[in-house]
Amino acid sequence: MFDGECNFCDKSVQFIIKRDPKGYYNFASLQSNIGQELLKKYKLYSNLESFFLIEHDKAYEKSTAALRITKNLSGYWKLLYPLILVPVPFRNWLYRIIAKNRYKWFGKKDQCVIPSPEIRKRFID
């Protein structure tokens, strides 16, 4: 789940899609009905400064979610996964810096981009 209004978040989703040829990951905006339902189901708090990964019925957030995603990407990106061994407080400190400045650095969307039908199947409504 990701912030659907954030340019950086949208680019991150596009990055994942491009490097996930097996279609392992599906996506939902935090602002969507399903996003809100999943937040409640997994008892997650979101002020839109995080994104979440739900994998094998377990929820992950912030840097842990990002690093867990890398292990299933094609190419050298999976080499980032061992950074999961870095203590969570340090990883999330860096994550929060990016999250707090993402609108300032990357902008905010006024409207959603309409993906191709093939890509649209990867988004949960």
Side-chain angles (χ1 to χ4, degrees):
M1 295 183 296
F2 66 101
D3 178 355
E5 296 178 351
C6 167
N7 283 333
F8 178 73
C9 303
D10 179 64
K11 293 293 183 195
S12 297
V13 167
Q14 298 306 317
F15 177 90
I16 293 166
I17 288 170
K18 186 175 179 181
R19 289 155 184 84
D20 178 23
K22 295 179 183 175
Y24 186 80
Y25 297 108
N26 293 303
F27 306 91
S29 165
L30 288 167
Q31 292 90 345
S32 69
N33 289 335
I34 190 71
Q36 292 299 304
E37 288 173 24
L38 289 168
L39 288 172
K40 287 177 190 169
K41 177 180 178 181
Y42 289 93
K43 297 177 175 77
L44 300 169
Y45 169 76
S46 174
N47 59 5
L48 299 180
E49 289 189 0
S50 184
F51 75 91
F52 302 91
L53 169 66
I54 299 171
E55 187 176 48
H56 307 296
D57 209 32
K58 184 168 177 171
Y60 303 92
E61 65 178 328
K62 299 180 181 170
S63 64
T64 302
L67 289 171
R68 288 187 68 85
I69 286 171
T70 65
K71 73 179 179 175
N72 291 305
L73 298 181
S74 63
Y76 294 107
W77 296 103
K78 58 184 76 215
L79 296 176
L80 293 175
Y81 182 67
L83 292 174
I84 202 96
L85 299 173
V86 172
V88 173
F90 178 74
R91 286 191 280 119
N92 283 346
W93 171 79
L94 186 59
Y95 183 96
R96 279 190 300 277
I97 290 172
I98 296 168
K100 286 184 187 285
N101 292 290
R102 71 190 189 286
Y103 291 146
K104 182 172 38 169
W105 295 343
F106 303 100
K108 193 172 180 177
K109 294 175 162 289
D110 292 335
Q111 57 190 8
C112 294
V113 176
I114 299 174
S116 69
E118 182 178 297
I119 300 297
R120 198 173 308 138
K121 288 188 267 183
R122 309 260 317 259
F123 288 81
I124 305 167
D125 294 331

